[in-house]
Amino acid sequence: MPDSPSADADAAAPSSFLQTALRGGVLAGFCVLVGWLAMKKLALGAVAGGVIGGATFGIGLYAMANLRGAPAGLWVTFGLKLLSVTCYKILMVVMVSYLSKDCGMDTATAQYAYAAFGLMMSGCTLLAGSITDAIGLRRTLTIGVSLAVLARVIMISASNPWVALVAGLVPVAVGEALCTPVLVAATRKFSTAEQRSVAFSVFYALLNLGFLAAYFIFDGVKNLSANGMTIHTWVGDHSVQRVLFAVSAGIEVVMLPVLLLLREREAPGEEPNAVARKMTVGGAVKESARLFGMLLKHPGFHRLLMFLAVIGLLKIVFSIMDGVLPTFLERELGAEGGARAGRANAVNSVLILILAPVAGILTRKMPAYPMVIFGGFITALSFVFLALPPAVFQGLADGPVGQAVIRGYFAWEGTAHPLFLMVVLWQVVFSIGEAFYSPRVYEYAVSIAPKGQEASYAALSAVPLILGKITTGAVFAELLERYCPEHGARDTATMWSIVGGLVLMAPLLLLVLRPFIRMKEEGKE
């Protein structure tokens, strides 16, 4: 008599449990190693090391529990995403400082250059989606990573600032842009319809884990400098900015062998793209142009682009974290305060690791459009904490909570300045808003993509963040000099009020333009 199905299930259960336990053990060991390296080798301390290791374990456990049976390509995509976003974030955090301190630009010019960099990435990212659809995921990633590494090497070694800008800044914009849409498209490609929401939740969590690691690396490297300007290495003294570029280049190099594991034939229900593999350079250019033309002619393209352009006002927040907060803290609290900008920004990354999955579960049956508006209002509200007078928070700073944050988390030995608490409260509130709107933007953009154009539409999901960089560079080029100059009287309350009003325009515009730009969301209305 054959065994019953229940008997087979009972026999399989111990095997499944052992596999899960083994994977969990390997994950735990890896996360302990990551935490130890952060704590000891990067000299970040026990708190930062514990946060990085624990966050990595939490994301891994969540993915293992909810993505069983997913193809190997999805896990490789997640690994590439973590590496890519870490080195990209290091680049962006240090960009303005590099332009001003290493290239000799004044603050306003550096902010304008930061905006120009965002503009270059914006155009390249739109084209990168069609290139990816034409030649395939792995080829595009290989070209992008190679360009990004080469450009960083030039920016590290060039003594002439114009060489660093032309031969370094331009190629790194192209290289990073080529990587941006590929991994969004790969997440859709290697996940089934049932797995997609969870896959994008993990994808967004990994994005923030990479940000978290980058911020702590930023602080760790800056702490290695005795004078806050240079670091002694085995090849001589180099600026903090160039050393950070070297670290990000090293992380980017690790992506190259990992890319060998990315096999597009593993996508569920799809055959290998043999045409793409045999395509010549000329054929790839023609096919990319054809796909880009199809993208421009799609009936919903212009409405989606308008929606994403408005979202760019919300994404100003992320550009402030990278390009403004380090300068702001340095001018308000000195070099030691600026060195803690990465740790301040890490608050957002830690919170999103928890809040994004929770918000996704709570709102999974709700349309994205109203959730973006709701999250946008919360994000705009967060700037109240930066605009209020510091004296309002002095009592809290002197209390046990303030001491735990200022002395414990920030390891600050000077006067308990309330600005630390103001920044943390700002991060907490806008993180809540971000958790409701930001993950939905990625999934929304690719969910309407026609088959074969996933990367082209994934490229559009990166437009808001890049537009945010352009807006931030243009706005803060004047605001910092007028309201928070390096020398002289400051009026930062007015500066943050202006920025908060700019962010508030996003949800208001989405409400007003709703009849014109909102698109039907399949299965949710």
Side-chain angles (χ1 to χ4, degrees):
M1 180 177 178
D3 292 336
S4 66
S6 60
D8 291 339
D10 291 340
S15 175
S16 177
F17 174 78
L18 288 174
Q19 289 180 358
T20 302
L22 179 61
R23 290 173 182 171
V26 172
L27 175 65
F30 172 75
C31 294
V32 169
L33 176 63
V34 168
W36 180 82
L37 288 172
M39 180 174 63
K40 296 293 185 182
K41 298 302 181 182
L42 290 176
L44 299 181
V47 174
V51 168
I52 292 176
T56 307
F57 182 74
I59 293 175
L61 208 59
Y62 176 77
M64 286 171 53
N66 291 279
L67 292 174
R68 278 178 282 184
L74 184 62
W75 303 102
V76 175
T77 299
F78 288 161
L80 289 169
K81 181 61 180 177
L82 181 59
L83 293 170
S84 174
V85 78
T86 301
C87 53
Y88 167 77
K89 180 57 71 171
I90 294 172
L91 172 74
M92 298 313 299
V93 170
V94 77
M95 178 68 70
V96 174
S97 295
Y98 172 78
L99 293 172
S100 59
K101 296 178 181 178
D102 290 66
C103 296
M105 294 183 179
D106 58 50
T107 304
T109 306
Q111 290 290 344
Y112 281 126
Y114 186 81
F117 179 81
L119 186 61
M120 281 190 292
M121 276 201 68
S122 183
C124 294
T125 299
L126 287 174
L127 293 172
S130 298
I131 293 170
T132 303
D133 287 327
I135 68 174
L137 302 173
R138 191 162 70 174
R139 280 186 175 183
T140 308
L141 271 174
T142 303
I143 295 170
V145 170
S146 301
L147 264 177
V149 171
L150 179 62
R152 282 174 170 86
V153 171
I154 292 172
M155 294 171 80
I156 293 166
S157 55
S159 56
N160 187 311
W162 286 107
V163 173
L165 291 172
V166 176
L169 203 61
V170 174
V172 83
V174 176
E176 293 294 343
L178 287 173
C179 297
T180 299
V182 178
L183 298 173
V184 179
T187 303
R188 174 180 172 170
K189 193 177 185 72
F190 291 118
S191 60
T192 63
E194 294 77 16
Q195 296 169 333
R196 197 151 295 146
S197 292
V198 174
F200 273 100
S201 176
V202 174
F203 181 88
Y204 195 73
L206 284 170
L207 181 144
N208 282 275
L209 179 61
F211 288 175
L212 174 70
Y215 290 137
F216 280 133
I217 290 170
F218 174 81
D219 281 0
V221 171
K222 291 203 78 170
N223 287 335
L224 294 176
S225 173
N227 57 8
M229 301 294 291
T230 60
I231 295 175
H232 181 73
T233 67
W234 61 279
V235 289
D237 291 337
H238 294 280
S239 71
V240 171
Q241 293 75 232
R242 291 177 190 266
V243 172
L244 282 164
F245 279 154
V247 172
S248 66
I251 297 171
E252 193 109 33
V253 166
V254 176
M255 291 178 65
L256 291 172
V258 178
L259 276 171
L260 298 176
L261 303 175
L262 188 67
R263 302 185 182 278
E264 297 181 50
R265 65 173 177 270
E266 294 177 355
E270 291 191 10
E271 296 297 324
N273 190 349
V275 175
R277 287 205 301 268
K278 296 177 182 178
M279 193 174 291
T280 62
V281 173
V285 171
K286 290 179 181 178
E287 181 64 9
S288 299
R290 185 186 71 82
L291 289 170
F292 189 68
M294 289 176 60
L295 173 70
L296 297 177
K297 293 176 184 177
H298 189 273
F301 168 75
H302 297 95
R303 284 190 291 165
L304 178 61
L305 194 61
M306 189 180 296
F307 168 80
L308 293 172
V310 175
I311 299 299
L313 292 172
L314 290 175
K315 298 292 186 177
I316 287 174
V317 178
F318 302 107
S319 299
I320 289 171
M321 292 167 65
D322 296 344
V324 177
L325 191 63
T327 303
F328 170 68
L329 289 178
E330 183 173 330
R331 291 183 178 180
E332 289 289 293
L333 301 171
E336 286 295 316
R340 281 154 175 81
R343 192 160 296 212
N345 284 332
V347 173
N348 166 253
S349 300
V350 173
L351 289 174
I352 286 298
L353 296 177
I354 301 167
L355 294 173
V358 172
I361 292 170
L362 292 176
T363 64
R364 66 187 182 278
K365 295 183 180 180
M366 299 179 186
Y369 201 96
M371 286 298 99
V372 171
I373 294 174
F374 176 66
F377 278 119
I378 296 175
T379 302
L381 179 66
S382 68
F383 283 89
V384 170
F385 293 102
L386 293 177
L388 287 171
V392 173
F393 302 92
Q394 189 62 62
L396 186 61
D398 293 332
V401 174
Q403 292 298 305
V405 171
I406 297 170
R407 307 295 183 199
Y409 180 70
F410 284 101
W412 182 256
E413 297 179 357
T415 304
H417 201 291
L419 187 57
F420 285 111
L421 284 180
M422 295 165 65
V423 170
V424 168
L425 289 170
W426 166 62
Q427 296 259 354
V428 169
V429 176
F430 92 67
S431 296
I432 296 171
E434 177 193 353
F436 280 102
Y437 86 82
S438 200
R440 307 297 290 269
V441 174
Y442 287 96
E443 189 174 357
Y444 183 73
V446 297
S447 66
I448 65 169
K451 186 176 180 181
Q453 286 192 273
E454 293 88 355
S456 297
Y457 281 75
L460 294 177
S461 68
V463 168
L465 189 61
I466 297 168
L467 288 177
K469 295 185 192 308
I470 297 170
T471 306
T472 303
V475 170
F476 274 95
E478 300 297 334
L479 287 182
L480 273 174
E481 288 307 304
R482 178 175 295 184
Y483 297 108
C484 189
E486 187 173 359
H487 305 288
R490 301 188 181 111
D491 182 12
T492 56
T494 299
M495 180 179 77
W496 293 120
S497 297
I498 292 171
V499 176
L502 195 60
V503 174
L504 181 61
M505 287 176 59
L508 291 176
L509 283 172
L510 290 175
L511 278 173
V512 173
L513 298 174
R514 183 173 181 164
F516 307 103
I517 65 175
R518 186 178 182 184
M519 300 176 68
K520 186 176 180 181
E521 298 173 47
E522 185 179 359
K524 294 191 177 179
E525 50 187 340

